[in-house]
Structure formats: structure tokens, C-alpha cells
Amino acid sequence: MCHIFLQHQDGFMNVPIMFFREVMELCRISFLLFWAFQLVYAQQATDPNEVDALNKIIIHWNLSGKLNLTTDPCSQNAPWAPENANPRVACDCTGSTCHITNLKIYALDIFGEIPQELFLLKELMNLNLGQNVLSGPLPAEIGQLSKMQYLSLGINNLTGPVPPELGNLNKLISLSFSSNNFNGTLPTQLGMLTSLQQLYIDSSGVSGPIPQELANLKALQILWASDNGFTGMLPEFFGTLTELIDLRIQGTSLEGPIPTSFGALTKLVNLRIGDLSKEDSTLDFLKNQTNLSILSLRNSRVSGEIPERIGTFAKLQYLDLSFNKLTGQIPNSFQNFSLLQNLYLGNNSLSGDLPSNIISPNLIALDVSFNPISGNLPPNFAKVGFSMNVLGTSINANSLLDRKAIRMLQCLQNECTNQVQASSFSIKCGGMEQTSSSGIKFDNDSENLGASSLYTNSNDQWAVSNTGNFISNPNGPQYIVTTETQITNTLDSELYKTARISPSSLRYYGLGLENGKYNVELHFAEITMDDSQSWKGLGRRLFDIYIQGERVVQDFNIQKEAGGSERALIKTFKANVTNTIIEVHLFWAGKGTCCIPFQSTYGPLVSAVHVYQASNAGFSAKRDKKHVGKLVGIAVGSAAGFLIMSSIFYLWWIKDKSGHMQVHTNSPSKK
């Protein structure tokens, strides 16, 4: 502008000479400031030690193709500077020297150990190395990065103990080392992280007692601690972490009861506790948790009655109290839920009638199976998009539109309509009918099941029951998985290309069988989790297998036993049938990774079931004696609508410690 003014000053003859001098002085000062700024900016560069360290990190992790530092790492317009860049390098240049404060190398399958050069980046505030294949220990030098606020190491293959030096990072807001292979206990020094708001340690490999020192984490809002080897009592001090909004502790070896101190956690939005042992719990701690959206206390030895006040938790969308020891009636207040979508009360000892309006406006799944509940179905049970499981109850199911479901209930009362009893059945789980290379015809099992479903095949030879909901599955409510990849270790690859999956409980029943001894063949192939060298190959699926109510395999890992993904595996078990029924129950006990390769990847998976009568030879009498008698109480009306109430004995049933149905055998034992 000064240049323009000077060129045209002849046109300003009437302007005082002092004005021109002032303008010229202003222009001179402006030029000086401009060049001073340019000089300072030109002199600003990244600390050379950090540049050297970053270059060595790039070489160590073979990132030169993705992060080629042709200019200064802290250049403002560099392609790695934007917040959404990956890899990302961001800096603080407020002083005379720029320092690297953010480093993100996320889900790029970098492998190898963490190099020492990383710990020369002393100004790091945000380090994200999540979803890679890093191995070896987490070096103690991590404690030197004292300015760190966000540290993510989740989904890797890190081993060794969790370094106590993490306790030096007292500015941490978020810490994640979930889905790794650490060992040993949590260091007590984590209790020094008093600014911590988020702690993700699920599936990390740690074990032993949860340190009392974590009681110091008063700012904690999120704690994911599932699928670890934690032992001892569920900590009382968790009740003092009153800022918690998301607490998840499933699939551990922790013991109950749930402390009454948890009643102080009134900010909770998501509470998932499961798989507790030894002492029973009650629901007394649930008092003022009116912010809850998700409440799951599945398989936690919860006893007593369900308090009416839970029906006043107006924000609840998901409620799972299944596989417990609850008694009494379902509260009438459960008719008042306005947002509830999923309600699971199965495998308890609940009695009385169902509340007539329990199917609230948004409810899409209701499971009350295996409870001595009686009465009639709710009037609106047939609403579109709703699934309901009343198997193992005394509910009058004559009004069910699905006549096959009625026949299923009658079969479990030994009232099967089959004129000729069968000695075998075969099911292609999740797929169409198929004949194997050995000539076995596997029946079609491609029916879409809901979150609380029961289905019987056309000839009433078998049935399948599914319970549970994948809360965060990005693919939606899917209970069948498929693959186009060839399955190895078998002549019947097509048999394994579909499978049924469940987030909780998947049961197959053989109906109308001749009494006697049977072989149960279960066909498996892991077709959802891969075994590649990528971070996507770090997932672990674990579940339990029950035959006739007896747990025959705990923490079953298909991929591990088969020697890899997409490899066929057949597990064979013995069973005894004394009341024409056989039950195969696949149960998720909270273990395994939750989110590899995507959210909600866990739970039982099975490709096919083949059950056939066996000879007496080789059948273990000892195993036969282990079967504990349990009969399922079911009252079902005749086809004309007559409800059989007192003319027959109900098939009484009892619960074992984990709440699984056990089919009655010749030699029941006492527990």
C-alpha cells in the first residue's frame, strides 16, 4: 500500500507534508516488522535431536513410504500435520524451537519392538500406536514422557509385565493397553494417575487382585477391565469412583457379591458386570442409577427379588439379568419402560404371571425362558419386529402364531408328535441343506433368528434357541456369518462356510430321540477372526460348551485348536438320552476379545451339528453319573386351547451354579 501511495503522491498536493512523513514512517516500521517476522519464522525448526529420533523410528518401523520427511517435521503445511492424517506428526512451535507433541501411527500394521528413540520425544502429549502388531515389552522408559496426556497402545502383541513407570505420567487423561499379552498384576503405581479419566485394560492379559491404589483415580469416567485374570473380591472401592459413567467387568475370576457401595455410582450410563463366582449378590445397590442406558448383570449369582424401582430407570434401553438366581415376580413397573429395547430375564427362578403390558413400545426382544412363569402371553406379543422366548416356562403358548414353537414346547414335555422316534439328526448351522462327502444330509438352518428366538425345523426333529444382542455391532443384528474363502482340513468346505453366532446363549435340541447313548459331533471353523500377520489377526474367541447341562469344554478357542482360521475342526462328545431330548448349549462367559476385527466380535460360533446313536462300547459310566437331573417346567395347552395344569407333573428343573439347564439322566448326583 505504501508503494501505491508513493506512486500517486502527486495527486495529493493539498495534503500537509507532515502527513506524508507519518505515512512514510509507518511504512518503514511495517517493513521492519515484516522482515523480523520472516526471520523468526525462518529460524523456527524442530529440535534436531527429535528430528533424528523420528527418522530412526520411521526406519525401525519401515514407514518411509507413508511418512517421508522431505521437509522439517513441524512444517505447518506438511501432509502429516492435519488432525485426520495417519501417520500424523504435530508440533508445538510457540517457542524458538518446535517440539513434536503428537505422534499417531494407527492401524498400519507396524511390527517389532518399541524403539528406544521414541523416548527421546520428551514433549509428546499424545501417542497413538493402537491396532498394530507391536511385540516385546513396554519399556520402562515410557515413564520419561512426563507430559503425556493420551497414551494408546491397545490391540497389539505386547508382552511382559505392565511397567510401574507408567505411574510417572501423572498428566495422563486417557490410557489404553487393552487387547495385548501382558502378564502379572497391575502395578500399584497406576494409582498415581489422579488425572486419569479413561482406562482401557480389557483383554490385556493381567491377573491377580485389582490394586487398592486405584481408589485414588477419583476423576475416572470410563473403566473397561473385562476378560482378564483378576482374582479376589469385586473391589468395594469402585463405589468411591463416583465420576464413573462406563464400567465393564466381565469374564474375570472375581468373586461376588456386588458391593452396596456401588449405589453411589449415580452417573453410570453403562454398567456391565458378569461371571462372578462364590458369593451371591442382590440388586440392593441399584437405587439412584437413573442415568443408566445399559445394565447387564448377566451370570453374576444375583439372587433375591427384582426391585420395583428398576422400572423407574427411564433411560434404560438394554437390561440383562439372565443366568442368575432371581426369585419372585417380574415387577409391574417393568410395564413403564418407554425406551427399553432388549429385556433378558432367562435362566432364573422367576414365577407368577407376565405383566400384561410388559411389551413396551420400543421393546424388540424379551427372554423369560427357563423360569417357572405361568399365565398367558401378553396381548401384543405378535407385534412386528418383536421376538420372544418362553421356552422352559409354564406360559400358555397356544396363542403363538408359530405352531412349530408349540410343538417344540410339547416335545420338551415328552409329547412329541413324531410317530417314529429318531436315532440321529444333522444341522447345517446358519446355512441351506447340504449333503456331506460321507453322505450325511445336514438340514437347512438358515432361518433368521432374532435377539430372543426359538425355531423348530419342519419335522420337529430339532430346534434352535438364541438369546442375546450384539450391542455395538456395526453390521447390525446379525446371528449368521458367512465366508467365500475355501475351508481347509476337510473334504466338506461348503459345510463350514456358514455358521450361527450368538452374543450370549445358543442352544440346539434334538427332539423325539430314542433313549440311549449318543455321539455328539460339533463342527467348527473360525470364519470371522482371521489369523493374518495384521492386527486383525489378534482376536480371540472363547466360549463354553455344555452337553446335557454338563460343561464339557471351558474357554474353547476354535482358532487355537484347529491350528488357524478357516480350518475345519470336529469335536466329539458322549451323551445319554433318557427323555427323548438332547441339548447342546454354547455359552459366552465374558471371555475373549470384544472388538477385533470390528466391534462386537465375540461369543459362540458353530458350523454344523451331527448327533447319532452310539454303541455301548466306550461310553463312560462315570460320565453318565455326572449328569445332574433337571427337568424343564412347561405347561402347554392342547391344539384346541385346553391348558394342561394338574393332570400331569410339570417337569421340574433346578439350577446349577452357572444357571444352565441340565437334562435328567438315570443317575443324578447331588450338588
Side-chain angles (χ1 to χ4, degrees), residues 367-483:
D367 172 41
V368 293
S369 61
F370 303 107
N371 282 288
I373 296 174
S374 56
N376 296 316
L377 291 169
N380 56 339
F381 73 91
K383 77 171 185 175
V384 176
F386 175 73
S387 64
M388 181 177 181
N389 195 338
V390 298
L391 178 62
T393 71
S394 300
I395 292 174
N396 175 12
N398 265 345
S399 53
L400 280 175
L401 296 179
D402 185 357
R403 306 304 299 178
K404 290 185 295 183
I406 295 179
R407 291 198 296 271
M408 164 67 172
L409 295 174
Q410 291 171 336
C411 276
L412 286 180
Q413 284 194 127
N414 291 331
E415 297 175 8
C416 291
T417 57
N418 307 53
Q419 293 183 353
V420 179
Q421 289 188 325
S423 60
S424 68
F425 65 94
S426 305
I427 309 167
K428 173 64 199 87
C429 305
M432 303 298 290
E433 178 183 307
Q434 180 181 335
T435 301
S436 71
S437 58
S438 59
I440 300 170
K441 184 176 77 68
F442 287 83
D443 292 341
N444 176 14
D445 179 31
S446 60
E447 184 83 4
N448 286 324
L449 298 183
S452 179
S453 294
L454 170 67
Y455 169 77
T456 57
N457 77 322
S458 58
N459 59 8
D460 294 336
Q461 281 193 335
W462 57 266
V464 57
S465 171
N466 174 69
T467 302
N469 183 55
F470 291 110
I471 298 175
S472 305
N473 193 338
N475 301 315
Q478 295 184 349
Y479 299 95
I480 293 176
V481 290
T482 62
T483 183

Side-chain angles (χ1 to χ4, degrees), residues 319-393:
L319 176 58
D320 189 348
L321 301 176
S322 62
F323 292 92
N324 283 303
K325 304 166 69 175
L326 293 168
T327 57
Q329 295 187 330
I330 298 174
N332 285 322
S333 62
F334 276 26
Q335 300 175 109
N336 301 326
F337 287 122
S338 58
L339 300 179
L340 194 67
Q341 298 179 19
N342 296 270
L343 176 56
Y344 302 106
L345 301 172
N347 289 265
N348 279 289
S349 296
L350 297 170
S351 57
D353 293 354
L354 280 176
S356 58
N357 294 316
I358 193 170
I359 304 177
S360 50
N362 287 304
L363 197 67
I364 59 176
L366 172 62
D367 172 41
V368 293
S369 61
F370 303 107
N371 282 288
I373 296 174
S374 56
N376 296 316
L377 291 169
N380 56 339
F381 73 91
K383 77 171 185 175
V384 176
F386 175 73
S387 64
M388 181 177 181
N389 195 338
V390 298
L391 178 62
T393 71

Side-chain angles (χ1 to χ4, degrees), residues 133-308:
V133 201
L134 297 176
S135 57
L138 177 59
E141 287 82 356
I142 190 72
Q144 298 175 8
L145 306 181
S146 58
K147 296 186 178 181
M148 191 74 69
Q149 295 181 17
Y150 300 90
L151 176 58
S152 178
L153 303 167
I155 309 185
N156 275 287
N157 197 23
L158 297 171
T159 56
V162 177
E165 288 78 8
L166 282 174
N168 297 338
L169 310 183
N170 56 19
K171 294 183 180 180
L172 271 180
I173 296 172
S174 178
L175 171 62
S176 170
F177 52 86
S178 59
S179 299
N180 274 283
N181 287 303
F182 291 108
N183 58 50
T185 60
L186 284 175
T188 59
Q189 289 82 354
L190 292 182
M192 300 167 62
L193 306 179
T194 54
S195 297
L196 202 63
Q197 297 178 19
Q198 303 174 2
L199 179 58
Y200 302 95
I201 56 176
D202 49 300
S203 302
S204 61
V206 294
S207 58
I210 297 177
Q212 176 69 30
E213 286 76 6
L214 296 192
N216 297 325
L217 307 183
K218 302 300 184 185
L220 202 61
Q221 297 178 14
I222 299 175
L223 174 58
W224 291 15
S226 298
D227 185 37
N228 285 307
F230 292 131
T231 57
M233 305 284 285
L234 184 61
E236 179 95 18
F237 70 78
F238 278 179
T240 67
L241 307 179
T242 54
E243 296 299 312
L244 279 172
I245 59 174
D246 191 341
L247 175 60
R248 308 185 190 186
I249 314 173
Q250 299 170 296
T252 70
S253 295
L254 289 171
E255 303 168 10
I258 300 172
T260 56
S261 63
F262 280 38
L265 304 179
T266 57
K267 294 184 179 180
L268 280 172
V269 174
N270 191 334
L271 175 61
R272 307 185 201 183
I273 299 174
D275 315 292
L276 300 179
S277 62
K278 293 191 177 181
E279 297 294 328
D280 288 356
S281 300
T282 70
L283 298 176
D284 291 345
F285 74 95
L286 290 172
K287 297 178 180 177
N288 300 308
Q289 285 83 355
T290 54
N291 290 308
L292 278 171
S293 174
I294 297 174
L295 174 59
S296 176
L297 303 177
R298 174 180 173 273
N299 197 31
S300 292
R301 296 185 62 93
V302 179
S303 61
E305 297 188 359
I306 303 175
E308 285 277 349

